Amino acid sequence: MNPTELEQPMERRAVPVTVLTAFLGAGKTTLLNRILNGDHGLRVAVLVNDFGSINIDADLMVGVQSDVISLANGCVCCSIRDDLIEAIEQVMERPEHHEYILLEASGVADPVGIAITFIDARFRDRIRLDSITCVMDAEQVFNSPEQMRLKLWQIATADMLILNKVDLMDRDQIERIKVWLDEHFHRYWIIEAKQCDVPLEILLSAGRFDTSQLDFDTNYHDERICNDPQCQQHHNDHTLTFSTWCYETNQLLSIEVLLEVTSRLPANIYRCKGVIFTADTPDKRAVLQVIGKRVDITLAEEWGKCPLCTKIVAIGAHGTVDEKALSEKFDYCIAGSTKNP
């Protein structure tokens, strides 16, 4: 916060907001967990948006003491924007004073639609848009070329880029990404990171977001930021572009079989993630992350009071997700199953 804000009485300070955006699987939840568990001493309100009907990202938050509001089954930039407005009002009306608001947007979100909400006149002098941070998966930047327009627009709108997972790439590949960015954007600020390990001093209270770079009158396109025609006329109904599918069971799954099945998911599945109830370690949650061909299953904390069940969400191209086939694949992962995937 700048000195002027620090001099204001607590009740008059505008609460800063940071929006975390990225294409599917880049590492937003990892970044959110780093911020929330960091040594910053702030009372943080967290808004977590997931495109599917199950908010897996909210379940993946680790050791969080902050106030969390889950926004599922739609995108806060369009179909459930009213829910976002209601959530902000809930945060502002609570008796405890929040010193920061973090929004983890869904992987298909248009940041401009979200920014419009945070600069709404009704919130003037109460909250301020501090930063839009876009996380990029260094290994997946050029994957899913049919979704490049969305990726470009998420990057163009952000005032900070985190090139994540650089440890999975060599320097030539990273330089290729930077050349690609130079070709598309007039200006950008990029930070290289492993596991989204970025200093909190950079991420929080970066200063008021420059809303002049958002052009609301030309289909959310601003040539001062991005000169790529694919950025134009991006905003649309995400349900016409993406499909989601959810899987739930209270039966134990085999990690070995789950690894086998998820490593062979159809190419039209952009992202798959979940919390897994496993036969291998039934006392602890396992976390499934599938991004492209990369599959990762890690052990998390004990279940505690959480229901002992598996919840998985898959996001794919619209109209191409075979729900019956996916159900059969994950049913095959149930420990002791004799079904053919």
Side-chain angles (χ1 to χ4, degrees), residues 270-300:
Y270 299 131
R271 179 79 164 101
C272 185
K273 55 188 174 182
V275 178
I276 313 300
F277 182 33
T278 75
D280 307 75
T281 55
D283 58 325
K284 292 185 177 181
R285 304 192 312 165
V287 176
L288 169 69
Q289 301 279 7
V290 183
I291 305 119
K293 296 180 180 180
R294 189 168 68 237
V295 180
D296 185 42
I297 299 178
T298 57
L299 288 181

Side-chain angles (χ1 to χ4, degrees), residues 262-274:
T262 51
S263 66
R264 294 187 286 110
L265 288 175
N268 61 289
I269 300 298
Y270 299 131
R271 179 79 164 101
C272 185
K273 55 188 174 182

Side-chain angles (χ1 to χ4, degrees), residues 161-178:
L161 305 179
I162 296 176
L163 185 61
N164 193 32
K165 308 177 186 179
V166 293
D167 51 316
L168 303 178
M169 312 290 284
D170 59 38
R171 288 310 308 178
D172 288 342
Q173 292 170 311
I174 293 173
E175 290 305 315
R176 180 190 171 209
I177 293 172
K178 291 184 176 180

Side-chain angles (χ1 to χ4, degrees), residues 155-224:
I155 295 169
T157 309
D159 57 345
M160 184 188 304
L161 305 179
I162 296 176
L163 185 61
N164 193 32
K165 308 177 186 179
V166 293
D167 51 316
L168 303 178
M169 312 290 284
D170 59 38
R171 288 310 308 178
D172 288 342
Q173 292 170 311
I174 293 173
E175 290 305 315
R176 180 190 171 209
I177 293 172
K178 291 184 176 180
V179 169
W180 176 78
L181 288 170
D182 289 338
E183 291 173 350
H184 287 82
F185 302 99
H186 298 306
R187 64 176 186 269
Y188 60 88
W189 182 25
I190 191 166
I191 302 168
E192 297 180 20
K194 304 174 183 178
Q195 293 291 311
C196 283
D197 190 3
V198 178
L200 294 176
E201 294 82 2
I202 294 176
L203 294 170
L204 300 179
S205 294
R208 188 180 300 274
F209 181 82
D210 182 10
T211 56
S212 67
Q213 70 182 47
L214 303 177
D215 186 345
F216 303 128
D217 298 322
T218 56
N219 293 312
Y220 299 163
H221 178 66
D222 188 340
E223 293 179 354
R224 291 171 298 169

Side-chain angles (χ1 to χ4, degrees), residues 12 74-75 83 103 120 154 161 165 220 234 274 284-285:
R12 294 183 182 177
C75 191
D83 290 0
L103 168 64
D120 191 289
Q154 290 175 334
L161 305 179
K165 308 177 186 179
Y220 299 163
H234 161 69
K284 292 185 177 181
R285 304 192 312 165

